[in-house]
Amino acid sequence: MQDGSAPRGMLPLITALVAMGVASMALYVPSLPAIQADFGVEPADTQLTLTLFFLGFSTAQLLFGPLSDRFGRRPIILIGLVLYSAISLACAFAPGIEALQIGRFLQGFAACVGPVVGRAVVRDKFDGPKAITAFAVVGTALAIVPAVAPMLGGFLQAHIGWRANFVFLTLASLILLATTYLKLTESVPEKNLDALKPRRLVRIYGGLLSSPFFMGQALASSLAFAGFFAYFTEAPFLFIGEMGLSPDMFGLLMIFTVAGYASGSFLAGRLIPRLGTRPVILLSFVFLIAGSGLLYLLSDSLTIARVIGPMSVYTIGFGMVIPGSMAEALRPFPRVAGSASAILGFFQFFCAALTSLLVQPLYDGTARTLALVIIGVALFTVVQFLVLTRNGPPEARESAA
């Protein structure tokens, strides 16, 4: 652990790497109805491109985490960025919906390298309150990206077309690749030569999965994440398809939900040093349940305010739960931070994929079924956290390495 020794500029770079995955999801969301019309397919076919991205993003983390423990953070990030750039360019020229679906799965597979390895770098370089502050900085940036990306994506859709989104992602990833090559230093003091041995991976992942505290913290962030991305999957069809908003106007509306997320993340960074992590996480659950419940109560009529208002409340809780739960999940496992970060990221995006798949066939042009899904997720988040984390964290498991 090199607490406080992180070189100047490392945290902004890591934040950009972590944000890359969110940008890959959010930028093209205003284009989903246009992609549907362009290829002449059903809404579920275009929504599947988002679900497949989640699946690729989640499963690849189980590979990139151990790879970064074995070979170091820097080379794995560089390789991932090269792959991401090539796949993003291929998505820009997809000839049909099937090719785009495959491309999005592969893009998600490559995009996960920034978040999973970036979180491990934060764990390498920061500890204690500084780690929570670093995760709060990353969380605030993650709130800004989903606001800016749909606005930019809506502008590109309105003036150029949906393929421009993937050209932009290609160019942005090439810039990030060059910056990473020049600026990112290796953060692993000693590479773990046994990190990829099958028996060791089974032991590590088994140890993490069997830790109630780790699972409680991991699922707290993952389920809150999943609830938001259930909304993310349905939102363009509600606002653009049902209410008739333009893609760029839809992008502007993301400011409200993302402002809620940023506010929650900011509050977490201020309250955790004073109150402790667990009370702040419990407080975040109040906002999750209140927002999802309000969405259901107002779902009898579909208007912008009746959807955006409740989801803004929900995202305050989402922003509050992320920094503390992520830091607490990784804290007891310093020697296997890459693998622990991989499991954490896997659950976040796998849960998002499940809720995305769940809401697709239930879509009925209203927010009612969406609200029921989010309420269920929020309630399960609270119950599992109270049960799994009631005995507190385990001792740091150095033996897991």
Side-chain angles (χ1 to χ4, degrees), residues 201-392:
L201 286 176
V202 171
R203 185 173 69 250
I204 290 173
Y205 285 147
L208 292 168
L209 293 173
S210 64
S211 167
F213 182 81
F214 176 84
M215 289 301 299
Q217 299 289 351
L219 287 175
S221 63
S222 300
L223 293 168
F225 189 84
F228 177 72
F229 277 96
Y231 163 75
F232 213 65
T233 301
E234 296 285 82
F237 295 94
L238 288 173
F239 289 113
I240 299 175
E242 303 297 334
M243 299 186 208
L245 271 65
S246 63
D248 46 355
M249 180 59 67
F250 167 75
L252 288 172
L253 286 178
M254 293 300 294
I255 292 176
F256 294 99
T257 51
V258 170
Y261 184 101
S263 299
S265 185
F266 177 82
L267 285 172
R270 295 296 180 271
L271 293 177
I272 287 175
R274 299 178 182 180
L275 304 178
T277 304
R278 186 176 179 84
V280 174
I281 292 176
L282 293 175
L283 179 60
S284 74
F285 295 156
V286 176
F287 288 94
L288 295 179
I289 294 174
S292 57
L294 190 60
L295 181 63
Y296 179 78
L297 291 175
L298 298 178
S299 62
D300 57 318
S301 177
L302 188 62
T303 67
I304 294 175
R306 284 171 173 256
V307 177
I308 289 294
M311 287 307 302
S312 297
V313 175
Y314 179 92
T315 53
I316 292 175
F318 178 32
M320 289 182 70
V321 74
I322 291 293
S325 62
M326 288 175 60
E328 284 295 288
L330 297 179
R331 180 170 59 87
F333 305 97
R335 290 290 305 279
V336 291
S339 298
S341 177
I343 287 284
L344 181 61
F346 168 80
F347 275 112
Q348 286 179 341
F349 284 88
F350 186 74
C351 290
L354 289 180
T355 55
S356 178
L357 277 174
L358 181 61
V359 298
Q360 289 171 24
L362 298 176
Y363 179 72
D364 60 357
T366 75
R368 184 175 297 274
T369 53
L370 173 64
L372 288 173
V373 170
I374 299 177
I375 288 172
V377 169
L379 291 174
F380 183 63
T381 303
V382 177
V383 172
Q384 69 82 28
F385 181 84
L386 293 175
V387 172
L388 294 179
T389 66
R390 65 185 184 277
N391 294 325

Side-chain angles (χ1 to χ4, degrees), residues 105-196:
F105 175 81
L106 296 174
Q107 188 186 41
F109 192 93
C112 85
V113 71
V116 69
V117 183
R119 285 194 302 265
V121 173
V122 172
R123 180 62 183 81
D124 294 337
K125 288 294 184 180
F126 302 94
D127 196 10
K130 291 185 178 180
I132 292 174
T133 300
F135 278 119
V137 170
V138 173
T140 302
L142 288 176
I144 296 173
V145 171
V148 175
M151 289 178 0
L152 176 59
F155 176 84
L156 292 173
Q157 172 60 44
H159 295 280
I160 304 176
W162 66 265
R163 296 181 188 273
N165 292 308
F166 294 102
V167 174
F168 176 85
L169 290 173
T170 303
L171 296 175
S173 63
L174 289 173
I175 294 172
L176 191 54
L177 172 63
T179 305
T180 301
Y181 180 81
L182 294 173
K183 299 294 185 181
L184 183 66
T185 58
E186 184 55 64
S187 64
V188 177
E190 182 179 353
K191 297 179 180 65
N192 194 323
L193 301 181
D194 298 327
L196 294 176

Side-chain angles (χ1 to χ4, degrees), residues 37-56:
D38 191 14
F39 290 137
V41 296
E42 296 297 320
D45 294 317
T46 52
Q47 289 173 332
L48 188 58
T49 63
L50 188 59
T51 302
L52 288 171
F53 181 94
F54 291 148
L55 289 174

